[in-house]
Amino acid sequence: MVNIILASHGEFAEGILQSAQMIFGEQEQIVAATLMPNEGPDDLKAKLDEAVDSFGEDAEILFMVDLWGGTPFNQTNILYDHLGEKSAIVAGLNLPMLLEALGARMGMETAHELASHIISKEAIGIRVKPEELQPQEEVATETEDGQEQAVGSLEPGTVLGDGKIDYVLTRVDTRLLHGQVAINWNKATNPTRIIVVNDTISKDEMRKTLLQQAAPPGVRTNAIPIRKLVEINDDPRFGATRAMLLFDNPQDVLEAVEQGVDIKEVNLGSMAHATGKRMINKALSVDEEDVKTFKALEEHGVTFDVRILPGDSREDLDSLLRKEDLI
């Protein structure tokens, strides 16, 4: 895994690291070094030296700095000259850039590789309102022979892929689409479409718009009723789709499964506390109706993945319920 040092004028580096960890969870092998108003270049250099030493010899280090040509850049550049091929510098630090780096560094071995990756992805974090100022990008579905074609333009009965939607994640989360989903789970599952399945939200134009604005760039996002999910589940034109399904309660998942939607596993990420519900871990609050729903889903062959983030350890649902005397 590539080590990261954030360097900035003022407390920006520390603040952006805190923001990233709120979304991505606690991170190892990343350090923030700040140049405060009462400090000079030598003070920052000492902090950077300490950070480099903390990673040990032969560490791959990516420096992410706020401004090209500023003091943080100049001081990291001195270290870059010393470290050579084992380091790289990226300027223009922002939150989407940092989240991209955190998501990608686990699978990369060199700082150069990580720097090249985030520079190619960095611009996608820039969005604008009014939306007509945003450059438009065509979102298409890839056919078996590599040709791209929008699903809506295909004749009914057209078969893409194997004719079945690939459900890369089915998640129960009271908050539906938010940072942990749009960043962490999106990177872990790589969907081509995010589908919020909720009868109420599908009729609320404002909430649908907010969901679309929260979606990761390049991933088509829809809010649909359960009946519509049942329809597209059987539509072979969606056979090349990798779908992330988001529900805000397990009862809707059960209804979809009972109507034939091919869901094999449900990620239980967050169920908000309410009157009559009991917390079974830090994120899940359930009542007797929920427990019955879990049992019914198990009878349909559905398994459960209990964790908030992809990097978390899975918890066993039955063990959590037994601990609270719910089964």
Side-chain angles (χ1 to χ4, degrees), residues 6-14 33-37 39 44 64-74 93:
L6 310 178
S8 72
H9 296 82
E11 297 177 348
F12 174 63
E14 292 178 346
T34 59
L35 175 66
M36 302 307 292
E39 295 178 330
L44 178 59
M64 303 181 71
V65 304
D66 52 2
L67 292 173
W68 186 274
T71 298
F73 170 82
N74 292 334
L93 174 61

Side-chain angles (χ1 to χ4, degrees), residues 27-327:
Q27 295 292 306
E28 298 179 349
Q29 296 173 243
I30 180 168
V31 176
T34 59
L35 175 66
M36 302 307 292
N38 60 339
E39 295 178 330
D42 289 343
D43 297 298
L44 178 59
K45 179 62 163 50
K47 296 176 184 178
L48 292 168
D49 286 338
E50 182 180 357
V52 170
D53 290 342
S54 71
F55 296 140
E57 294 185 7
D58 298 323
E60 290 282 339
I61 301 174
L62 176 66
F63 297 98
M64 303 181 71
V65 304
D66 52 2
L67 292 173
W68 186 274
T71 298
F73 170 82
N74 292 334
Q75 295 304 311
T76 57
N77 197 41
I78 294 172
L79 290 169
Y80 169 78
D81 289 339
H82 174 70
L83 295 169
E85 291 296 317
K86 292 188 175 298
S87 67
I89 305 173
V90 175
L93 174 61
N94 59 46
L95 187 55
M97 178 194 291
L98 179 54
L99 293 174
E100 189 68 43
L102 294 177
R105 67 173 178 155
M106 294 296 293
M108 296 185 178
E109 297 181 355
T110 71
H112 286 194
E113 184 182 12
L114 181 57
S116 296
H117 173 79
I118 64 174
I119 286 299
S120 69
K121 299 291 185 181
E122 191 274 329
I124 67 175
I126 302 173
R127 305 284 288 272
V128 64
K129 294 192 76 171
E131 293 179 358
E132 56 264 27
L133 300 180
Q134 185 80 26
Q136 297 301 306
E137 178 180 354
E138 290 294 324
V139 179
T141 298
E142 189 172 294
T143 62
E144 259 186 326
D145 60 1
Q147 298 296 318
E148 290 190 345
Q149 192 169 16
V151 170
S153 68
L154 299 175
E155 291 293 327
T158 302
V159 179
L160 295 184
D162 62 0
K164 291 290 185 181
I165 298 175
D166 180 10
Y167 296 116
V168 297
L169 179 72
T170 300
R171 179 177 171 93
V172 173
D173 191 326
T174 306
R175 296 176 293 171
L176 294 170
L177 183 54
H178 55 94
Q180 291 174 343
V181 176
I183 301 296
N184 299 54
W185 284 106
N186 178 60
K187 291 183 181 299
T189 60
N190 193 30
T192 57
R193 186 184 293 262
I194 295 175
I195 303 175
V196 174
V197 187
N198 187 285
D199 289 352
T200 301
I201 294 176
S202 68
K203 302 173 184 175
D204 188 327
E205 292 302 321
M206 178 175 290
R207 293 192 67 182
K208 286 197 293 184
T209 298
L210 292 173
L211 285 169
Q212 290 166 353
Q213 291 175 346
V219 182
R220 181 173 292 182
T221 301
N222 306 97
I224 63 175
I226 297 171
R227 61 170 178 78
K228 185 63 176 179
L229 176 62
V230 175
E231 290 178 14
I232 67 171
N233 179 74
D234 296 326
D235 190 333
R237 291 177 296 177
F238 288 86
T241 301
R242 292 172 53 83
M244 176 193 296
L245 302 182
L246 299 178
F247 295 83
D248 68 354
N249 66 81
Q251 287 73 35
D252 284 354
V253 180
L254 177 59
E255 183 176 343
V257 169
E258 288 178 337
Q259 294 189 48
V261 178
D262 189 24
I263 294 171
K264 298 284 195 300
E265 182 178 71
V266 175
N267 166 239
L268 298 178
S270 174
M271 295 172 61
H273 182 68
T275 302
K277 289 182 177 281
R278 294 166 62 179
M279 299 297 298
I280 60 173
N281 68 7
K282 63 181 180 181
L284 299 179
S285 178
V286 305
D287 57 18
E288 290 185 1
E289 182 184 1
D290 295 324
V291 175
K292 291 179 181 178
T293 302
F294 297 149
K295 179 65 174 176
L297 284 167
E298 287 178 340
E299 291 174 352
H300 282 279
V302 176
T303 60
F304 295 99
D305 168 20
V306 182
R307 52 181 169 156
I308 300 172
L309 297 170
D312 294 342
S313 297
R314 294 186 181 220
E315 296 184 84
D316 181 70
L317 178 60
D318 284 350
S319 296
L320 293 171
L321 295 174
R322 287 193 190 97
K323 186 176 179 180
E324 296 299 324
D325 297 321
L326 291 168
I327 58 173

